[in-house]
Amino acid sequence: MGYRAENLFRLLKAITPTILGLLGVIILAAPIRLFEGFAPTPIIPLVVVFFWSIYGPDSLPSVSVFLIGFVQDLLTGGPLGLWAMVYLFTQFIVMSQRSYFLGREQKVVWVGFAFAAAGAGIILWLVMSLMSGVLLPVRSLVLQLAATILIYPLFGAAFSELHRRVLVEA
């Protein structure tokens, strides 16, 4: 492999988690109706932030997490900075508990993700309720968080394979 190809490959490895987060934002913002609107679209960027904060924190710096959240705010029409704040807060909390999660069974990590998703949901609900001046209904947010929590094992396994085969072994 040539010098330029090696550098390009190294760059792609370095920005893979950021690209995954941005792809998750695009999927979330796309007008996709899963099962004819019955199932809400999971918050894939939250899965990306959680996973890479544990298994590859150097691959997903805070600047990337901010960018993912900011792009999500732009594409979904949310208040600018809200998702960035939620993702940065999630990254901070998860990285503070990283040593606990490393080496644990995936069931334990999944429960940790459920708590992180619930925390993110509470922050979102509180901020949006404060901004609107009324307590907003939580049903749709709870359903979206439930869908996100349920898909975590699938994405966690895929990201683990990607991390092991491409980012670590290559």
Side-chain angles (χ1 to χ4, degrees), residues 5-23:
E6 282 183 30
N7 284 342
L8 180 62
F9 186 66
R10 241 182 271 140
L11 175 66
L12 284 174
K13 282 173 49 172
I15 64 171
T16 295
T18 304
I19 291 170
L20 291 171
L22 291 172
L23 285 173

Side-chain angles (χ1 to χ4, degrees), residues 119-152:
I122 290 169
I123 292 170
L124 287 166
W125 178 79
L126 283 173
V127 169
M128 294 304 292
S129 290
L130 285 171
M131 289 179 72
S132 65
V134 296
L135 293 178
L136 297 173
V138 295
R139 183 179 184 277
S140 60
L141 178 62
V142 168
L143 290 174
Q144 189 171 32
L145 290 172
T148 305
I149 292 166
L150 289 173
I151 60 106
Y152 179 81

Side-chain angles (χ1 to χ4, degrees), residues 1 11 20 39 52 70 77-78 89 107 120 126-127 133 146-147 154 162:
M1 193 177 329
L11 175 66
L20 291 171
W52 293 102
F70 190 73
F89 182 76
K107 290 184 283 190
L126 283 173
V127 169
L154 177 67
L162 174 70

Side-chain angles (χ1 to χ4, degrees), residues 85-104:
M85 177 196 65
V86 167
Y87 292 153
L88 286 168
F89 182 76
T90 301
Q91 182 187 42
F92 175 77
I93 296 298
V94 172
M95 286 180 70
S96 73
Q97 301 301 311
R98 182 173 181 257
S99 61
Y100 174 79
F101 288 118
L102 288 173
R104 299 282 179 176

